[in-house]
Amino acid sequence: MALVCWIFFMNIFGFSFFKESPKSFFLHDFHTSISEAEYNESNKQFEVSLRVFTDDFEEALAQKNKIKNLKLDKNSKYNDLIEAYIKENFYFTDSKNKKLPLIFVGKELDVDVTWIYFEIPFNKYNSGYSITNSVLVELFDDQVNLVNLKYKGLKKTYLLKTNKTTTSLTLQ
């Protein structure tokens, strides 16, 4: 009886249990990615870890690559698609607006989030560098991408949104 009442209540308020997939039934209300970019002086590169909600990231990869029911797992089946997506949506540019190379390291799934790891070679800072993070902005108008950057003792946080996906790097 309690289950019938619950389903009736959910249907009255527009949450149809039978019309929606279980995945869409438990959606989160905020759209945020967080990345940590830490400069490794000995390797002359930024080591980046990017955290995204797995369901959102799967949707972005599926739409971009026209794959129905794309499901990430621990194997490397979609690593080439992840690498291409990250290279297109997260990058540094130099003063000549040239993208710096990105080296995909791997991914790690943890309950409802996916960690994506990559490196960006970075020999020497000059003014005119910028960072772009447009991860998932094609899906959500309210997407917010935080980039926590550590460079030679300096710590900065960059807030990038759907309407502002690029900002200048200020590392001095």
Side-chain angles (χ1 to χ4, degrees):
M1 180 66 175
L3 179 60
V4 173
C5 290
W6 182 79
I7 292 171
F8 177 75
F9 173 78
M10 297 304 280
N11 280 320
I12 287 174
F13 291 101
F15 301 108
S16 175
F17 185 78
F18 297 109
K19 293 179 186 173
E20 301 292 329
S21 70
K23 181 178 175 180
S24 63
F25 188 73
F26 297 105
L27 295 178
H28 46 267
D29 291 335
F30 56 96
H31 303 104
T32 304
S33 80
I34 299 174
S35 57
E36 301 286 334
E38 187 164 355
Y39 187 68
N40 183 324
E41 182 73 43
S42 62
N43 294 341
K44 304 285 188 221
Q45 66 188 10
F46 278 99
E47 297 169 345
V48 183
S49 58
L50 169 66
R51 184 193 64 83
V52 293
F53 286 108
T54 302
D55 59 339
D56 295 343
F57 195 61
E58 288 169 339
E59 181 65 27
L61 291 175
Q63 282 186 16
K64 178 165 180 44
N65 297 287
K66 299 174 178 45
I67 299 172
K68 291 185 178 185
N69 301 319
L70 185 144
K71 198 77 175 141
L72 294 177
D73 56 27
K74 293 184 190 276
N75 68 37
S76 59
K77 181 177 180 180
Y78 295 115
N79 281 358
D80 56 335
L81 302 181
I82 294 169
E83 180 177 4
Y85 182 88
I86 295 301
K87 284 183 175 181
E88 184 178 324
N89 292 286
F90 191 114
Y91 52 88
F92 291 179
T93 54
D94 64 16
S95 59
K96 297 176 183 169
N97 208 30
K98 180 182 174 193
K99 283 185 183 180
L100 300 184
L102 183 144
I103 302 158
F104 178 74
V105 175
K107 71 173 179 326
E108 182 179 10
L109 282 83
D110 183 20
V111 187
D112 62 344
V113 298
T114 298
W115 288 93
I116 302 161
Y117 305 104
F118 51 98
E119 301 165 341
I120 300 173
F122 195 85
N123 291 323
K124 184 180 176 187
Y125 173 72
N126 296 311
S127 62
Y129 278 85
S130 63
I131 184 170
T132 297
N133 185 347
S134 57
V135 170
L136 302 176
V137 300
E138 73 277 16
L139 293 181
F140 307 110
D141 292 338
D142 63 342
Q143 180 68 34
V144 174
N145 295 318
L146 292 169
V147 179
N148 296 313
L149 190 127
K150 295 178 184 174
Y151 179 77
K152 296 183 177 182
L154 177 71
K155 295 178 184 179
K156 289 202 81 143
T157 297
Y158 297 93
L159 178 71
L160 301 163
K161 301 179 185 180
T162 301
N163 59 354
K164 185 182 182 215
T165 59
T166 300
T167 192
S168 296
L169 277 179
T170 52
L171 300 177
Q172 295 177 349

Short mmCIF file of all heavy atoms in Angstrom, two decimals, residues 52-95:
data_model
loop_
_atom_site.label_atom_id
_atom_site.label_comp_id
_atom_site.label_asym_id
_atom_site.label_seq_id
_atom_site.Cartn_x
_atom_site.Cartn_y
_atom_site.Cartn_z
N VAL A 52 34.46 14.75 -12.66
CA VAL A 52 33.15 15.04 -13.27
C VAL A 52 32.15 14.01 -12.79
O VAL A 52 32.52 12.90 -12.40
CB VAL A 52 33.22 15.02 -14.81
CG1 VAL A 52 34.06 16.15 -15.36
CG2 VAL A 52 33.74 13.68 -15.33
N PHE A 53 30.87 14.37 -12.82
CA PHE A 53 29.84 13.38 -12.53
C PHE A 53 29.79 12.40 -13.69
O PHE A 53 29.71 12.80 -14.85
CB PHE A 53 28.48 14.04 -12.32
CG PHE A 53 28.36 14.75 -11.00
CD1 PHE A 53 28.35 16.13 -10.94
CD2 PHE A 53 28.26 14.02 -9.82
CE1 PHE A 53 28.26 16.79 -9.72
CE2 PHE A 53 28.15 14.68 -8.60
CZ PHE A 53 28.16 16.05 -8.55
N THR A 54 29.83 11.13 -13.38
CA THR A 54 29.91 10.09 -14.41
C THR A 54 28.72 10.14 -15.36
O THR A 54 28.91 10.06 -16.58
CB THR A 54 30.02 8.70 -13.75
OG1 THR A 54 31.19 8.68 -12.92
CG2 THR A 54 30.11 7.60 -14.79
N ASP A 55 27.50 10.29 -14.84
CA ASP A 55 26.33 10.29 -15.72
C ASP A 55 26.37 11.45 -16.71
O ASP A 55 26.05 11.29 -17.89
CB ASP A 55 25.02 10.26 -14.94
CG ASP A 55 24.84 11.43 -13.99
OD1 ASP A 55 25.85 12.08 -13.61
OD2 ASP A 55 23.70 11.71 -13.61
N ASP A 56 26.81 12.62 -16.27
CA ASP A 56 26.91 13.77 -17.16
C ASP A 56 27.99 13.54 -18.21
O ASP A 56 27.80 13.85 -19.40
CB ASP A 56 27.26 15.04 -16.37
CG ASP A 56 26.18 15.44 -15.40
OD1 ASP A 56 25.02 14.97 -15.54
OD2 ASP A 56 26.48 16.23 -14.48
N PHE A 57 29.12 13.01 -17.79
CA PHE A 57 30.23 12.78 -18.71
C PHE A 57 29.87 11.72 -19.75
O PHE A 57 30.20 11.86 -20.93
CB PHE A 57 31.49 12.41 -17.93
CG PHE A 57 32.74 12.51 -18.75
CD1 PHE A 57 33.13 13.72 -19.30
CD2 PHE A 57 33.53 11.40 -18.98
CE1 PHE A 57 34.29 13.83 -20.06
CE2 PHE A 57 34.68 11.49 -19.73
CZ PHE A 57 35.06 12.70 -20.27
N GLU A 58 29.18 10.68 -19.31
CA GLU A 58 28.72 9.66 -20.26
C GLU A 58 27.79 10.27 -21.30
O GLU A 58 27.90 9.96 -22.50
CB GLU A 58 28.00 8.53 -19.51
CG GLU A 58 28.91 7.64 -18.71
CD GLU A 58 28.16 6.70 -17.78
OE1 GLU A 58 26.99 6.96 -17.43
OE2 GLU A 58 28.78 5.70 -17.37
N GLU A 59 26.90 11.15 -20.86
CA GLU A 59 25.97 11.82 -21.78
C GLU A 59 26.72 12.69 -22.79
O GLU A 59 26.41 12.68 -23.97
CB GLU A 59 24.96 12.66 -20.99
CG GLU A 59 23.93 13.36 -21.85
CD GLU A 59 23.00 12.42 -22.60
OE1 GLU A 59 22.77 11.30 -22.13
OE2 GLU A 59 22.50 12.81 -23.66
N ALA A 60 27.72 13.43 -22.32
CA ALA A 60 28.51 14.28 -23.22
C ALA A 60 29.24 13.44 -24.26
O ALA A 60 29.24 13.78 -25.46
CB ALA A 60 29.50 15.12 -22.41
N LEU A 61 29.87 12.36 -23.82
CA LEU A 61 30.58 11.48 -24.76
C LEU A 61 29.62 10.82 -25.74
O LEU A 61 29.92 10.70 -26.94
CB LEU A 61 31.37 10.41 -24.00
CG LEU A 61 32.57 10.87 -23.20
CD1 LEU A 61 33.15 9.70 -22.41
CD2 LEU A 61 33.62 11.49 -24.10
N ALA A 62 28.46 10.40 -25.25
CA ALA A 62 27.47 9.75 -26.10
C ALA A 62 26.95 10.71 -27.17
O ALA A 62 26.86 10.34 -28.35
CB ALA A 62 26.31 9.22 -25.25
N GLN A 63 26.62 11.92 -26.77
CA GLN A 63 26.13 12.91 -27.74
C GLN A 63 27.18 13.26 -28.77
O GLN A 63 26.90 13.29 -29.96
CB GLN A 63 25.66 14.19 -27.03
CG GLN A 63 24.32 14.07 -26.39
CD GLN A 63 23.84 15.39 -25.81
OE1 GLN A 63 24.34 16.46 -26.12
NE2 GLN A 63 22.84 15.31 -24.94
N LYS A 64 28.39 13.51 -28.32
CA LYS A 64 29.46 13.91 -29.23
C LYS A 64 29.77 12.81 -30.24
O LYS A 64 30.04 13.09 -31.41
CB LYS A 64 30.72 14.27 -28.45
CG LYS A 64 31.89 14.65 -29.35
CD LYS A 64 32.97 15.32 -28.59
CE LYS A 64 34.14 15.71 -29.46
NZ LYS A 64 33.82 16.32 -30.72
N ASN A 65 29.73 11.57 -29.81
CA ASN A 65 30.13 10.45 -30.66
C ASN A 65 28.95 9.64 -31.21
O ASN A 65 29.15 8.62 -31.83
CB ASN A 65 31.08 9.54 -29.87
CG ASN A 65 32.34 10.27 -29.51
OD1 ASN A 65 33.18 10.51 -30.36
ND2 ASN A 65 32.47 10.66 -28.26
N LYS A 66 27.72 10.12 -30.94
CA LYS A 66 26.51 9.48 -31.43
C LYS A 66 26.47 7.98 -31.07
O LYS A 66 26.28 7.12 -31.91
CB LYS A 66 26.37 9.69 -32.93
CG LYS A 66 26.26 11.16 -33.30
CD LYS A 66 26.26 11.36 -34.79
CE LYS A 66 26.11 12.78 -35.22
NZ LYS A 66 26.84 13.81 -34.60
N ILE A 67 26.65 7.74 -29.77
CA ILE A 67 26.61 6.38 -29.23
C ILE A 67 25.47 6.31 -28.23
O ILE A 67 25.43 7.08 -27.27
CB ILE A 67 27.93 6.00 -28.53
CG1 ILE A 67 29.10 6.07 -29.51
CG2 ILE A 67 27.83 4.63 -27.88
CD1 ILE A 67 30.45 5.90 -28.85
N LYS A 68 24.56 5.40 -28.42
CA LYS A 68 23.46 5.23 -27.48
C LYS A 68 23.92 4.38 -26.30
O LYS A 68 24.67 3.44 -26.46
CB LYS A 68 22.26 4.56 -28.16
CG LYS A 68 21.59 5.44 -29.18
CD LYS A 68 20.37 4.79 -29.74
CE LYS A 68 19.72 5.76 -30.73
NZ LYS A 68 18.46 5.26 -31.23
N ASN A 69 23.44 4.76 -25.12
CA ASN A 69 23.70 4.00 -23.89
C ASN A 69 25.18 3.78 -23.62
O ASN A 69 25.58 2.70 -23.21
CB ASN A 69 22.96 2.66 -23.93
CG ASN A 69 21.47 2.84 -24.08
OD1 ASN A 69 20.88 3.72 -23.47
ND2 ASN A 69 20.85 2.03 -24.92
N LEU A 70 25.99 4.80 -23.82
CA LEU A 70 27.41 4.71 -23.50
C LEU A 70 27.56 4.58 -21.98
O LEU A 70 26.97 5.35 -21.23
CB LEU A 70 28.13 5.97 -24.00
CG LEU A 70 29.64 5.98 -23.85
CD1 LEU A 70 30.26 6.69 -25.03
CD2 LEU A 70 30.07 6.61 -22.56
N LYS A 71 28.31 3.62 -21.55
CA LYS A 71 28.51 3.36 -20.13
C LYS A 71 29.99 3.17 -19.86
O LYS A 71 30.61 2.25 -20.38
CB LYS A 71 27.73 2.08 -19.73
CG LYS A 71 27.49 1.95 -18.28
CD LYS A 71 26.36 2.85 -17.86
CE LYS A 71 26.02 2.63 -16.42
NZ LYS A 71 25.70 3.83 -15.72
N LEU A 72 30.56 4.08 -19.06
CA LEU A 72 31.97 3.96 -18.70
C LEU A 72 32.16 2.82 -17.70
O LEU A 72 31.31 2.59 -16.85
CB LEU A 72 32.48 5.26 -18.08
CG LEU A 72 32.53 6.48 -19.00
CD1 LEU A 72 32.98 7.71 -18.23
CD2 LEU A 72 33.42 6.24 -20.19
N ASP A 73 33.28 2.14 -17.82
CA ASP A 73 33.64 1.12 -16.85
C ASP A 73 35.14 1.19 -16.64
O ASP A 73 35.82 2.06 -17.17
CB ASP A 73 33.17 -0.27 -17.28
CG ASP A 73 33.68 -0.67 -18.65
OD1 ASP A 73 34.74 -0.19 -19.06
OD2 ASP A 73 33.02 -1.48 -19.31
N LYS A 74 35.67 0.25 -15.89
CA LYS A 74 37.08 0.31 -15.50
C LYS A 74 38.03 -0.02 -16.65
O LYS A 74 39.20 0.32 -16.59
CB LYS A 74 37.33 -0.62 -14.32
CG LYS A 74 36.62 -0.14 -13.08
CD LYS A 74 36.94 -0.98 -11.88
CE LYS A 74 36.05 -0.66 -10.72
NZ LYS A 74 36.43 0.43 -9.91
N ASN A 75 37.56 -0.67 -17.71
CA ASN A 75 38.47 -0.98 -18.80
C ASN A 75 38.70 0.26 -19.68
O ASN A 75 38.14 1.32 -19.43
CB ASN A 75 37.99 -2.20 -19.60
CG ASN A 75 36.71 -1.93 -20.37
OD1 ASN A 75 36.51 -0.84 -20.90
ND2 ASN A 75 35.84 -2.91 -20.43
N SER A 76 39.47 0.12 -20.71
CA SER A 76 39.87 1.28 -21.51
C SER A 76 39.08 1.41 -22.81
O SER A 76 39.53 2.07 -23.74
CB SER A 76 41.37 1.19 -21.82
OG SER A 76 41.65 -0.01 -22.50
N LYS A 77 37.90 0.83 -22.86
CA LYS A 77 37.11 0.81 -24.09
C LYS A 77 36.89 2.21 -24.68
O LYS A 77 36.98 2.38 -25.88
CB LYS A 77 35.76 0.15 -23.81
CG LYS A 77 34.85 0.05 -25.01
CD LYS A 77 33.56 -0.68 -24.67
CE LYS A 77 32.65 -0.77 -25.87
NZ LYS A 77 31.41 -1.46 -25.55
N TYR A 78 36.61 3.20 -23.86
CA TYR A 78 36.31 4.55 -24.36
C TYR A 78 37.42 5.56 -24.10
O TYR A 78 37.20 6.76 -24.23
CB TYR A 78 35.00 5.05 -23.73
CG TYR A 78 33.79 4.24 -24.15
CD1 TYR A 78 33.08 3.50 -23.22
CD2 TYR A 78 33.36 4.23 -25.48
CE1 TYR A 78 31.97 2.75 -23.60
CE2 TYR A 78 32.26 3.49 -25.86
CZ TYR A 78 31.56 2.76 -24.92
OH TYR A 78 30.47 2.03 -25.30
N ASN A 79 38.60 5.10 -23.75
CA ASN A 79 39.68 6.04 -23.43
C ASN A 79 40.02 6.97 -24.59
O ASN A 79 40.34 8.14 -24.37
CB ASN A 79 40.93 5.29 -22.96
CG ASN A 79 40.82 4.86 -21.51
OD1 ASN A 79 39.83 5.13 -20.83
ND2 ASN A 79 41.83 4.17 -21.03
N ASP A 80 39.96 6.48 -25.83
CA ASP A 80 40.26 7.34 -26.97
C ASP A 80 39.21 8.46 -27.10
O ASP A 80 39.54 9.60 -27.44
CB ASP A 80 40.37 6.55 -28.27
CG ASP A 80 39.13 5.70 -28.57
OD1 ASP A 80 38.39 5.35 -27.63
OD2 ASP A 80 38.90 5.40 -29.76
N LEU A 81 37.95 8.16 -26.79
CA LEU A 81 36.90 9.18 -26.84
C LEU A 81 37.07 10.20 -25.71
O LEU A 81 36.86 11.40 -25.89
CB LEU A 81 35.51 8.54 -26.73
CG LEU A 81 35.14 7.51 -27.79
CD1 LEU A 81 33.73 6.99 -27.56
CD2 LEU A 81 35.29 8.06 -29.19
N ILE A 82 37.46 9.70 -24.53
CA ILE A 82 37.71 10.59 -23.38
C ILE A 82 38.87 11.52 -23.70
O ILE A 82 38.78 12.73 -23.49
CB ILE A 82 38.00 9.76 -22.11
CG1 ILE A 82 36.75 8.97 -21.69
CG2 ILE A 82 38.47 10.66 -20.97
CD1 ILE A 82 37.01 7.93 -20.61
N GLU A 83 39.94 10.97 -24.23
CA GLU A 83 41.11 11.79 -24.57
C GLU A 83 40.75 12.88 -25.58
O GLU A 83 41.11 14.05 -25.40
CB GLU A 83 42.23 10.91 -25.12
CG GLU A 83 43.46 11.69 -25.49
CD GLU A 83 44.61 10.81 -25.98
OE1 GLU A 83 44.44 9.57 -26.11
OE2 GLU A 83 45.68 11.36 -26.23
N ALA A 84 40.03 12.52 -26.62
CA ALA A 84 39.64 13.50 -27.65
C ALA A 84 38.75 14.58 -27.04
O ALA A 84 38.92 15.78 -27.34
CB ALA A 84 38.93 12.81 -28.80
N TYR A 85 37.81 14.20 -26.19
CA TYR A 85 36.92 15.17 -25.55
C TYR A 85 37.70 16.14 -24.66
O TYR A 85 37.49 17.35 -24.71
CB TYR A 85 35.84 14.44 -24.75
CG TYR A 85 34.84 15.39 -24.11
CD1 TYR A 85 33.72 15.81 -24.81
CD2 TYR A 85 35.05 15.89 -22.83
CE1 TYR A 85 32.81 16.70 -24.25
CE2 TYR A 85 34.16 16.78 -22.26
CZ TYR A 85 33.04 17.18 -22.96
OH TYR A 85 32.16 18.08 -22.40
N ILE A 86 38.61 15.61 -23.85
CA ILE A 86 39.39 16.45 -22.96
C ILE A 86 40.28 17.39 -23.76
O ILE A 86 40.37 18.59 -23.46
CB ILE A 86 40.22 15.60 -21.96
CG1 ILE A 86 39.28 14.83 -21.03
CG2 ILE A 86 41.19 16.47 -21.17
CD1 ILE A 86 38.34 15.69 -20.21
N LYS A 87 40.94 16.90 -24.79
CA LYS A 87 41.80 17.76 -25.62
C LYS A 87 41.02 18.91 -26.26
O LYS A 87 41.55 19.99 -26.46
CB LYS A 87 42.50 16.93 -26.70
CG LYS A 87 43.65 16.12 -26.17
CD LYS A 87 44.36 15.37 -27.27
CE LYS A 87 45.59 14.66 -26.72
NZ LYS A 87 46.33 13.94 -27.76
N GLU A 88 39.77 18.65 -26.56
CA GLU A 88 38.92 19.69 -27.17
C GLU A 88 38.39 20.69 -26.14
O GLU A 88 38.13 21.84 -26.47
CB GLU A 88 37.74 19.01 -27.88
CG GLU A 88 36.84 19.96 -28.62
CD GLU A 88 35.72 19.23 -29.34
OE1 GLU A 88 35.94 18.11 -29.86
OE2 GLU A 88 34.60 19.77 -29.37
N ASN A 89 38.24 20.27 -24.89
CA ASN A 89 37.53 21.08 -23.89
C ASN A 89 38.34 21.56 -22.70
O ASN A 89 37.84 22.37 -21.91
CB ASN A 89 36.30 20.32 -23.39
CG ASN A 89 35.27 20.16 -24.47
OD1 ASN A 89 34.58 21.11 -24.82
ND2 ASN A 89 35.17 18.96 -25.03
N PHE A 90 39.56 21.08 -22.54
CA PHE A 90 40.40 21.53 -21.42
C PHE A 90 41.82 21.71 -21.97
O PHE A 90 42.48 20.73 -22.33
CB PHE A 90 40.41 20.51 -20.29
CG PHE A 90 41.02 21.02 -19.01
CD1 PHE A 90 40.23 21.17 -17.88
CD2 PHE A 90 42.37 21.34 -18.92
CE1 PHE A 90 40.78 21.63 -16.69
CE2 PHE A 90 42.92 21.82 -17.74
CZ PHE A 90 42.12 21.97 -16.62
N TYR A 91 42.28 22.94 -22.01
CA TYR A 91 43.62 23.17 -22.56
C TYR A 91 44.17 24.52 -22.13
O TYR A 91 43.44 25.41 -21.72
CB TYR A 91 43.62 23.06 -24.09
CG TYR A 91 42.60 23.91 -24.79
CD1 TYR A 91 42.90 25.23 -25.13
CD2 TYR A 91 41.34 23.42 -25.09
CE1 TYR A 91 41.96 26.03 -25.77
CE2 TYR A 91 40.40 24.21 -25.72
CZ TYR A 91 40.71 25.51 -26.07
OH TYR A 91 39.78 26.30 -26.69
N PHE A 92 45.50 24.61 -22.23
CA PHE A 92 46.22 25.86 -22.03
C PHE A 92 46.62 26.35 -23.42
O PHE A 92 46.94 25.53 -24.30
CB PHE A 92 47.49 25.66 -21.21
CG PHE A 92 47.29 25.32 -19.76
CD1 PHE A 92 48.39 25.10 -18.96
CD2 PHE A 92 46.04 25.22 -19.17
CE1 PHE A 92 48.25 24.79 -17.61
CE2 PHE A 92 45.89 24.92 -17.84
CZ PHE A 92 47.00 24.70 -17.06
N THR A 93 46.65 27.65 -23.61
CA THR A 93 47.18 28.23 -24.84
C THR A 93 48.30 29.20 -24.47
O THR A 93 48.28 29.81 -23.41
CB THR A 93 46.11 28.97 -25.66
OG1 THR A 93 45.47 29.94 -24.83
CG2 THR A 93 45.07 28.01 -26.20
N ASP A 94 49.26 29.32 -25.38
CA ASP A 94 50.38 30.24 -25.15
C ASP A 94 50.01 31.63 -25.65
O ASP A 94 48.88 31.88 -26.07
CB ASP A 94 51.66 29.71 -25.78
CG ASP A 94 51.60 29.59 -27.30
OD1 ASP A 94 50.69 30.18 -27.93
OD2 ASP A 94 52.48 28.91 -27.85
N SER A 95 50.99 32.53 -25.62
CA SER A 95 50.73 33.92 -26.00
C SER A 95 50.38 34.07 -27.48
O SER A 95 49.85 35.10 -27.89
CB SER A 95 51.94 34.79 -25.65
OG SER A 95 53.08 34.30 -26.32
#
